[in-house]
Amino acid sequence: MVMKNFLLSILGIILTCCSSCGKKSDNSVTPDPVDTSKVPVVGAKMYVTKADKSQLFKETTVAYGSTSSMSPYAVRFTTDTYQTVEGFGAAITPSTCYNLLKMKQADRTAFLKNIFDPKDGLGSSLIRVCIGGSDFSIERYTWCDTEGIEHFGVPTIDSQYLIPILKEIYAINPDVQIIGSPWSAPRWMKRNVNDSANHYEWTGGTLKESCYQDYAAYFVKWIQYMQSQGFNIYAITPQNEPLNAGNCMSTVFYWTTERDFIKQALGPAFQKAGLKTKILVFDHNYNYDDQASQKNYPLNIYADAEASKYIAGSAWHNYGGSVSELDNIVAKAPDKEIYFTEASIGTWNYSFDGCLLNDFRDLFLGTLSRNGKGVTLWNLVLDDKKGPYTEAPGSCSTCYGAVTIASANYTSLDYYSQYYDIAHCSKVIRPGAVRIGTKGYEVSGVTYQAYKNVDGSYGVVILNENDASQQFVFISAKHSVKCNVPAKSIVSLKWTD
């Protein structure tokens, strides 16, 4: 009987236990079923633009893989480091500003946020501004049109168009850097190129030696005014296209003139004023406009130690010659910086596919692979009439902007190849990024570069000029990213370890 009662007790305990195991405890939580289709992919952001326009800066997320990948397409980052990059962008000319100010405020703000917002937009961080007029300034002018530097002041066009737009840009991204370039010195400062007679013209002529100090003061005053408005003047060039006498506004600056002006006036004036703004020389074409006496223009100036000490580097355009000329410059002056500052698209050269790929190869990857620190292109926005442009001989009436706006309503926008070239670099290569080494798979017709950003993230830009797609696996310290690069396309990647 005792044994029977014992067995019944044991059985009761077992049944109670089994019953309890079938119930939720008061503290337990049963998770909801997981809908895997709604779980965000953790990985790298990937942006794709195809030359046939079937994908235009299309964003996707690529899941991380193992860093032990033995893929034959693997590319690993190395510890090698190269130059620091400042950024990418386009020129903010008065014509660009005129078009933007024709937009509704909400539309303009949305557009500028897309271009300049470093978080939710492209994060464009480097722009070029004309010091005075140009062929896209509606009128020709400087900041001191009346003789005497005491007459320096803000021109109406710049106060009406340029300054308001720059303030809107800086409200979105206060870290934008500006490169400033004059198309012409004030006319009263100019003489004929081959004699001392006055040259009171917008086009041609050169700077009078007697005006070196006044022109240096002109730059100082311009920089100080712009800084007083909150604008970061990162660098200036003493003259846009110094070998081009035929621009609608121009001043001829042979290398000897630029050297002497910097050495005798501009450099000391910057030093005395405590300005940190960089001085970049040349600002013209790879082929020196086929002028034999001007070949190696920046190198000739660097050879003068007194001038060279004030100079950070050189700036370049692509209207003649090849980007390979930068190999010569870097080899002979490795301590000097390189910037690409102007390229146009227009009726004479434009096709979306050709300009997209060729410009990305030469102007962006070509400059960056040669220790370039930044790239700016010509007008950010022009209208569908290719303007407004300055009505004067030598102006470009056939140029396109990176973006075209419809003049009928100032609402409709058409994005050209330059926009996408700027977008692919700006989005993943942030200011202060360092170009890093890579080791691994290479294939003809495909070019790639890798960067490490200040926040620790990685940026990779890839150009595929082939008719077939190409696979790669990029491997950082903690992640690998497998991506398919479509035929004739640009791809950008960004991720953080």
Side-chain angles (χ1 to χ4, degrees):
M1 188 68 174
V2 174
M3 179 61 71
K4 180 179 180 182
N5 290 338
F6 175 75
L7 291 173
L8 288 171
S9 298
I10 294 298
L11 180 60
I13 293 170
I14 292 171
L15 289 172
T16 300
C17 223
C18 290
S19 176
S20 297
C21 289
K23 296 179 181 178
K24 293 188 289 185
S25 70
D26 291 340
N27 296 322
S28 69
V29 177
T30 302
D32 294 329
V34 176
D35 182 354
T36 56
S37 67
K38 295 182 179 179
V39 176
V41 175
V42 177
K45 290 294 183 183
M46 178 175 175
Y47 306 89
V48 179
T49 297
K50 297 177 68 175
D52 65 7
K53 294 189 177 183
S54 59
Q55 294 182 42
L56 294 171
F57 206 60
K58 181 181 179 181
E59 178 182 331
T60 56
T61 303
V62 182
Y64 292 135
S66 168
T67 56
S68 61
S69 172
M70 299 301 290
S71 167
Y73 306 110
V75 177
R76 294 183 180 273
F77 300 158
T78 72
T79 57
D80 296 328
T81 58
Y82 303 96
Q83 82 277 18
T84 300
V85 175
E86 293 301 331
F88 312 90
I92 307 299
T93 59
S95 294
T96 285
C97 298
Y98 174 90
N99 289 320
L100 289 171
L101 287 168
K102 286 286 189 178
M103 299 174 75
K104 295 177 181 177
Q105 179 67 66
D107 292 343
R108 181 169 68 252
T109 299
F111 175 80
L112 292 176
K113 282 186 174 181
N114 173 56
I115 300 294
F116 294 103
D117 192 314
K119 181 180 179 182
D120 298 321
L122 304 180
S124 173
S125 59
L126 189 66
I127 61 177
R128 189 165 179 240
V129 168
C130 309
I131 305 176
S134 70
D135 43 345
F136 289 96
S137 61
I138 306 170
E139 296 179 10
R140 296 186 286 187
Y141 61 92
T142 71
W143 282 53
C144 193
D145 284 336
T146 300
E147 184 170 354
I149 196 64
E150 67 273 14
H151 296 293
F152 180 93
V154 185
T156 300
I157 287 180
D158 283 346
S159 64
Q160 199 171 18
Y161 299 113
L162 177 64
I163 303 302
I165 289 298
L166 288 180
K167 287 186 175 180
E168 291 192 26
I169 291 171
Y170 272 75
I172 295 167
N173 184 355
D175 295 324
V176 166
Q177 305 273 25
I178 293 173
I179 297 176
S181 302
W183 263 237
S184 175
R187 288 177 291 177
W188 56 271
M189 295 187 185
K190 298 163 75 171
R191 64 168 175 83
N192 291 339
V193 173
N194 296 319
D195 61 52
S196 60
N198 289 338
H199 187 92
Y200 196 79
E201 304 289 343
W202 289 119
T203 299
T206 191
L207 184 64
K208 297 176 182 177
E209 291 82 347
S210 60
C211 289
Y212 279 8
Q213 300 304 323
D214 280 348
Y215 200 37
Y218 179 92
F219 281 94
V220 170
K221 287 176 179 292
W222 182 81
I223 293 167
Q224 290 174 335
Y225 173 80
M226 297 294 277
Q227 290 177 338
S228 76
Q229 300 301 301
F231 309 141
N232 301 322
I233 306 303
Y234 176 75
I236 60 92
T237 65
Q239 175 60 42
N240 170 71
E241 297 188 353
L243 305 181
N244 180 3
N247 233 335
C248 74
M249 292 181 66
S250 57
T251 306
V252 175
F253 263 59
Y254 293 140
W255 70 261
T256 50
T257 303
E258 193 152 297
R259 176 200 63 192
D260 293 347
F261 171 58
I262 292 170
K263 177 171 62 173
Q264 298 174 22
L266 189 63
F270 276 26
Q271 190 173 62
K272 182 178 180 180
L275 297 180
K276 302 300 182 183
T277 300
K278 297 183 178 185
I279 298 173
L280 307 177
V281 297
F282 193 43
D283 206 10
H284 207 170
N285 294 331
Y286 301 130
N287 69 345
Y288 310 100
D289 274 17
D290 293 324
Q291 298 184 38
S293 64
Q294 301 305 307
K295 185 175 174 58
N296 294 322
Y297 188 116
L299 297 177
N300 295 337
I301 298 177
Y302 298 159
D304 187 302
E306 281 301 304
S308 184
K309 70 182 182 182
Y310 297 116
I311 299 167
S314 57
W316 298 83
H317 301 181
N318 75 327
Y319 305 120
S322 166
V323 66
S324 61
E325 172 59 18
L326 298 184
D327 293 329
N328 171 48
I329 303 300
V330 173
K332 295 175 181 175
D335 59 323
K336 297 297 187 182
E337 299 172 357
I338 297 284
Y339 299 80
F340 186 89
T341 49
E342 185 184 319
S344 294
I345 52 175
T347 57
W348 70 93
N349 74 343
Y350 188 70
S351 67
F352 182 87
D353 55 349
C355 289
L356 177 80
L357 302 180
N358 294 339
D359 287 351
F360 201 73
R361 178 190 64 230
D362 294 339
L363 310 186
F364 288 82
L365 300 183
T367 300
L368 293 167
S369 67
R370 294 167 172 89
N371 292 334
K373 292 178 69 66
V375 176
T376 62
L377 304 179
W378 203 197
N379 296 268
L380 177 61
V381 181
L382 293 179
D383 67 19
D384 49 6
K385 299 174 184 176
K386 307 174 189 65
Y389 50 82
T390 305
E391 297 282 355
S395 289
C396 181
S397 60
T398 56
C399 288
Y400 299 133
V403 179
T404 292
I405 191 167
S407 59
N409 55 23
Y410 290 96
T411 300
S412 303
L413 298 170
D414 190 4
Y415 294 82
Y416 281 55
S417 61
Q418 288 189 336
Y419 168 85
Y420 295 101
D421 285 339
I422 292 167
H424 273 278
C425 284
S426 294
K427 190 67 177 177
V428 303
I429 307 172
R430 305 300 304 134
V434 175
R435 184 163 66 92
I436 60 176
T438 56
K439 183 179 181 180
Y441 181 64
E442 296 180 354
V443 60
S444 177
V446 180
T447 308
Y448 55 79
Q449 294 175 3
Y451 295 81
K452 189 166 187 180
N453 292 303
V454 173
D455 65 1
S457 64
Y458 293 97
V460 177
V461 286
I462 313 158
L463 169 67
N464 183 2
E465 299 181 81
N466 294 327
D467 292 327
S469 63
Q470 181 61 55
Q471 181 177 312
F472 286 92
V473 180
F474 292 96
I475 304 175
S476 59
K478 296 182 180 179
H479 297 297
S480 70
V481 177
K482 180 180 178 180
C483 71
N484 183 67
V485 183
K488 296 194 178 301
S489 73
I490 301 169
V491 170
S492 296
L493 298 165
K494 188 178 182 183
W495 73 92
T496 302
D497 272 349

